[in-house]
């Protein structure tokens, strides 16, 4: 098992994290024991962060003790892997859909560092006092106003020098326009507020998606 980032491992072409809730599977993921430790298989077809890593992300700003605000936490798939990586930190998971937050609550029951919020990231005042400042804002919400939501939450929550990780879905912004044009416009918009550390396309693992790593200026 080769470590490629803090808390992220590779065996052959597959990605793994160290399972911080041993012998517990949340999503039928592969559990693999190597060197006396248990690892969980992380699927880049299900997770945009895993896809970004497979597609050559040069640096992962999430560390072992990171405090992460995760917008669009859904059932908790990617949040659970971030909770493995930031095993000494915390993951605040926000999603407005009760059906998926129910699953997120089950995931949180099995892991000590996921805190679910049934909330809309357009209205961060709902969780402002509970979250405080964070090292990382991670967003995957597939909404037309994705950039606005991201900028608003990063302005409110990101520590100076903190990182914003954005999985951008072009078709949610405009179904007719070519994704490339949407990504370029998004990049220009983000550059007004952040230093862009990395930008990469996630196709074909995640169709019409791009991934941005932004640093607060
Ligand atoms: C593509 S799914 C996220 C998958 C998840 N990030 C993962 O990798 O496991 C998008 C999620 O964004 C949520 N979402 C949509 N609008 C949102 C908003 N305004 N605030 C927070 N979450 C939102 C949806 O309910 C949905 O669960």
């Amino acid at each position: 098992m080769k470590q490629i980032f803090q808390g992220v491992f590779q065996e052959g072409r597959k990605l793994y994290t160290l399972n911080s809730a041993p012998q517990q599977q949340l999503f039928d993921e592969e559990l693999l024991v190597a060197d006396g430790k248990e690892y969980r298989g992380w699927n880049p077809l299900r997770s945009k962060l895993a896809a970004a890593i497979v597609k050559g992300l040069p640096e992962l700003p999430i560390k072992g003790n990171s405090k992460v605000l995760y917008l669009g936490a859904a059932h908790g798939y990617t949040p659970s892997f971030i909770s493995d990586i930031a095993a000494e930190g915390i993951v605040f998971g926000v999603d407005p859909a009760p059906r998926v937050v129910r699953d997120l609550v089950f995931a949180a029951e099995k892991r000590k560092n996921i805190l679910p919020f049934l909330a809309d990231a357009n209205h961060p005042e709902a969780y402002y006092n509970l979250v405080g400042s964070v090292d990382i804002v991670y967003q995957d919400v597939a909404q037309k106003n994705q950039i606005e939501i991201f900028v608003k939450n990063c302005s409110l929550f990101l520590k100076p020098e903190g990182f914003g990780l954005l999985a951008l879905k072009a078709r949610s912004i405009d179904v007719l326009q070519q994704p490339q044009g949407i990504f370029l416009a998004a990049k220009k918009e983000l550059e007004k507020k952040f230093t862009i550390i990395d930008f990469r396309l996630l196709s074909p693992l995640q169709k019409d998606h791009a991934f941005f790593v932004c640093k607060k200026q």
Side-chain angles (χ1 to χ4, degrees):
M1 196 62 79
K2 177 181 157 205
Q3 179 157 358
I4 53 171
F5 295 119
Q6 194 177 343
V8 182
F9 302 83
Q10 198 169 26
E11 174 80 6
R13 294 169 64 90
K14 290 187 179 174
L15 286 185
Y16 295 87
T17 57
L18 260 179
N19 192 1
S20 57
Q23 292 169 23
Q24 310 246 19
Q25 275 168 300
L26 286 172
F27 303 93
D28 281 340
E29 64 275 33
E30 177 194 359
L31 296 183
L32 179 78
V33 176
D35 318 321
K37 295 172 190 148
E38 188 181 87
Y39 297 85
R40 287 199 306 139
W42 190 8
N43 185 351
L45 297 173
R46 279 191 79 169
S47 168
K48 282 128 214 167
L49 180 55
I53 293 172
V54 168
K55 293 224 54 183
L57 191 75
E59 194 191 325
L60 182 64
I62 305 170
K63 306 296 174 206
N65 61 356
S66 292
K67 200 172 159 187
V68 181
L69 173 62
Y70 193 120
L71 310 171
H75 306 270
Y77 185 75
T78 303
S80 75
F81 290 94
I82 293 180
S83 112
D84 281 348
I85 297 166
E88 309 303 323
I90 189 157
V91 183
F92 299 100
V94 174
D95 204 292
R99 198 177 44 81
V100 297
V101 171
R102 203 183 62 123
D103 289 346
L104 187 62
V105 170
F106 290 140
E109 279 171 357
K110 294 185 176 170
R111 306 179 149 256
K112 59 180 191 309
N113 64 345
I114 296 182
L115 262 175
F117 290 102
L118 179 65
D120 180 339
N122 281 297
H123 302 291
E125 58 280 4
Y127 45 92
Y128 183 76
N129 288 327
L130 301 161
V131 172
S133 61
V134 300
D135 303 294
I136 307 282
V137 171
Y138 183 99
Q139 182 179 302
D140 176 16
V141 299
Q143 290 295 309
K144 191 168 177 55
N145 67 336
Q146 291 163 80
I147 306 275
E148 182 193 345
I149 295 175
F150 182 70
V151 169
K152 191 190 277 185
N153 278 270
C154 287
S155 316
L156 277 174
F157 295 101
L158 258 194
K159 287 179 186 169
E161 311 271 297
F163 290 90
L165 277 56
L166 174 66
L168 192 85
K169 184 175 182 181
R171 299 283 176 204
S172 300
I173 291 176
D174 189 332
V175 273
L176 299 176
Q177 207 185 322
Q178 281 303 314
Q180 204 65 29
I182 294 175
F183 297 147
L184 281 179
K187 192 159 178 272
K188 272 195 184 156
E189 197 59 33
L190 291 168
E191 276 166 348
K192 293 180 188 163
K193 301 277 178 190
F194 305 97
T195 304
I196 309 287
I197 303 292
D198 191 59
F199 161 75
R200 57 195 57 243
L201 303 175
L202 300 186
S203 299
L205 295 166
Q206 301 278 346
K207 195 167 177 280
D208 299 334
H209 278 80
F211 198 84
F212 292 85
V213 178
C214 308
K215 190 167 186 188
K216 194 163 182 170
Q217 286 172 345

